[in-house]
Amino acid sequence: MILVTGGAGFIGGNFVLDWLKSPKNEGVVNVDKLTYAGNLATLESLRGDPRHIFIHGDIGDKELLARLLTEHQPRAIVNFAAESHVDRSIHGPAEFIQTNILGTFHLLECAREYWSGLDGLAKQVFRFHHISTDEVYGSLSSSDLAFTEKNAYEPNSPYSASKAASDHLVRAWFHTYGFPVVTTNCSNNYGPYHFPEKLIPLFILNALNGKPLPIYGDGQQIRDWLYVGDHCSAIREVLAKGKLGETYNVGGWNEKANLDVVKTICAILDELKPRSDGVSYISQITFVKDRPGHDRRYAIDASKLERELGWRPAETFDTGIRKTVQWYLDNPVWVDGVVSGSYRDWLQKQYQ
Ligand code: NAD
Ligand code: DAU
């Protein structure tokens, strides 16, 4: 088995679905707290599949984790579980400290105790893969080089600070205890099953529902976009061949200004599902107050992962974004399921 945390969320869910597509791969114990961002509908196609064991639980619950590790004897842990939305971290950072820092600490300690008790090959092959973000490196100016693994950590939001803290814990557990870890720092993901509080799914659904497309500030902030399936393939490579104690940047070489991303989404929707009045979805764009402390530019240099492990993304931004828009058009049942009361409350709070 492998044990995955946060596997009912966006990236964790895509990872579990991808992993279990291959009959060669082992089963998955999937521990998820099912916060507002966790959604069992994402895992619906695995219902009845004995290779997937879903456990509703918290990575901060030491007793539960110790029991699961003893019972299932996983050969690896992949830690996706986190509070992941920057805007929510600005409104309420406490949950981010709780899960991203303390939760990771408890998970590390339980995993270390389990690993210490393993013998021989089981101990040798075990690894703990921590999923992190490019946001830990802070913000770039337009002339700066893309982030490499050697950039200093300069997190600017409560979210990125909590992820940076968790990365430091993971690093220290390797250096102090010899605990076998690898960390990946990835850029912005997009694709199926993405909770519609983040830019791309929010804007696809707002466009279709005739709502405003609220661009923060001038819309010239730059993000480096990676299709979620490519992130999953990178994680599989690093889990299989990554060097212990190392960190690997993962990115798509797809730097885009937010306004350009939104215009691309509008153009695809104009083609696939034109508005009944014939007006372009671009007319729904509005500029709203900027996010406090908004990082201007992220860019990932993924050459270490490409050079050392031979990983390459399969999708370009053009192919990935088209697939993503089509997925949201084709999956209204999943969308209806996540657009609950608490989701509507969040939109009201964030966008008035
Ligand atoms: P998400 O918010 O969609 O999903 C997070 C999942 O973790 C949810 O299913 C939630 O229920 C679960 N969870 C939260 N707290 C938990 C806890 N205490 N115990 C167990 N489960 C808990 O997030 P995502 O976008 O899928 O991100 C997954 C990971 O990847 C995060 O660590 C995030 O920092 C990192 N990451 C995300 C992106 C991105 O663009 N989304 C990019 C780089 C890195
Ligand atoms: O870089 C990796 C990170 O990408 C991950 O670590 C985070 O978990 C993930 O949420 C994402 O963070 P961002 O803040 O970059 O993603 P978000 O989709 O929230 O915003 C993308 C950009 O779009 C950002 O510059 C803010 C802007 N934006 C976002 C929203 C929700 C808007 O202009 N309007 C909006 O309504």
Side-chain angles (χ1 to χ4, degrees):
M1 300 298 274
I2 63 165
L3 189 143
V4 164
T5 71
F10 165 48
I11 305 173
N14 274 284
F15 179 82
V16 170
L17 292 172
D18 271 7
W19 182 267
L20 291 175
K21 254 189 214 151
S22 165
K24 283 195 306 215
N25 286 332
E26 314 97 313
V28 175
V29 180
N30 182 353
V31 184
D32 195 294
K33 190 178 171 184
L34 296 179
T35 66
Y36 78 91
N39 189 354
L40 286 178
T42 300
L43 304 166
E44 183 57 30
S45 62
L46 298 177
R47 190 188 280 269
D49 185 334
R51 295 172 307 154
H52 180 238
I53 299 171
F54 182 79
I55 308 286
H56 183 196
D58 190 322
I59 57 166
D61 183 341
K62 290 178 277 183
E63 277 157 35
L64 172 72
L65 288 166
R67 183 166 60 69
L68 290 175
L69 291 169
T70 308
E71 192 178 328
H72 297 288
Q73 300 278 306
R75 62 126 178 134
I77 297 176
V78 187
N79 182 31
F80 294 94
E83 289 293 334
S84 72
H85 191 32
V86 174
D87 292 322
R88 286 189 193 249
S89 82
I90 296 167
H91 284 283
E95 279 301 316
F96 289 73
I97 307 303
Q98 194 62 40
T99 283
N100 300 0
I101 307 180
L102 291 172
T104 304
F105 162 67
H106 291 308
L107 180 63
L108 275 171
E109 276 297 76
C110 288
R112 182 167 74 89
E113 197 176 325
Y114 162 70
W115 167 76
S116 303
L118 295 174
D119 301 312
L121 189 62
K123 186 162 194 173
Q124 211 183 308
V125 302
F126 182 81
R127 53 185 52 203
F128 182 99
H129 186 146
H130 182 59
I131 305 299
S132 192
T133 169
D134 60 359
E135 299 204 10
V136 295
Y137 299 121
S139 186
L140 295 170
S141 73
S142 55
S143 57
D144 285 335
L145 294 177
F147 301 127
T148 73
E149 292 78 1
K150 295 204 183 317
N151 273 66
Y153 273 31
E154 292 178 354
N156 291 320
S157 71
Y159 163 69
S160 55
S162 68
K163 290 297 290 186
S166 69
D167 292 9
H168 289 324
L169 292 176
V170 170
R171 176 190 159 89
W173 261 237
F174 174 74
H175 283 275
T176 305
Y177 305 112
F179 183 59
V181 305
V182 280
T183 296
T184 42
N185 293 86
C186 189
S187 59
N188 283 60
N189 284 214
Y190 66 100
Y193 305 110
H194 203 181
F195 191 75
E197 65 185 353
K198 307 279 172 73
L199 180 79
I200 288 181
L202 177 74
F203 278 42
I204 296 171
L205 297 182
N206 274 14
L208 291 170
N209 292 324
K211 293 186 184 161
L213 307 178
I215 295 194
Y216 298 159
D218 62 2
Q220 292 308 315
Q221 300 82 6
I222 291 175
R223 297 292 181 266
D224 176 0
W225 294 95
L226 182 71
Y227 189 69
V228 65
D230 285 325
H231 188 185
C232 294
S233 72
I235 296 168
R236 288 197 300 271
E237 286 300 317
V238 174
L239 190 60
K241 301 189 283 195
K243 209 167 143 213
L244 294 181
E246 293 284 316
T247 67
Y248 295 88
N249 281 353
V250 188
W253 305 103
N254 279 313
E255 281 186 62
K256 305 265 174 220
N258 292 339
L259 190 56
D260 293 334
V261 170
V262 173
K263 284 182 177 163
T264 303
I265 292 169
C266 291
I268 297 172
L269 282 173
D270 284 341
E271 181 194 325
L272 298 180
K273 197 160 171 59
R275 276 174 39 153
S276 54
D277 60 5
V279 174
S280 169
Y281 289 100
I282 283 181
S283 62
Q284 290 169 229
I285 289 178
T286 55
F287 290 87
V288 301
K289 196 158 113 315
D290 209 352
R291 171 186 280 175
H294 199 170
D295 285 340
R296 196 68 184 164
R297 174 177 166 236
Y298 304 141
I300 274 279
D301 180 338
S303 48
K304 176 179 175 185
L305 178 60
E306 297 180 349
R307 195 178 55 247
E308 294 185 9
L309 304 187
W311 173 83
R312 291 275 181 295
E315 302 291 342
T316 64
F317 186 71
D318 289 344
T319 59
I321 193 71
R322 187 167 279 274
K323 275 189 182 175
T324 303
V325 173
Q326 189 66 59
W327 188 88
Y328 279 89
L329 289 172
D330 292 344
N331 287 276
V333 174
W334 185 89
V335 170
D336 288 348
V338 299
V339 184
S340 65
S342 65
Y343 173 71
R344 285 194 293 274
D345 293 346
W346 163 254
L347 292 187
Q348 175 65 26
K349 185 170 175 185
Q350 173 69 1
Y351 302 99
Q352 309 293 309

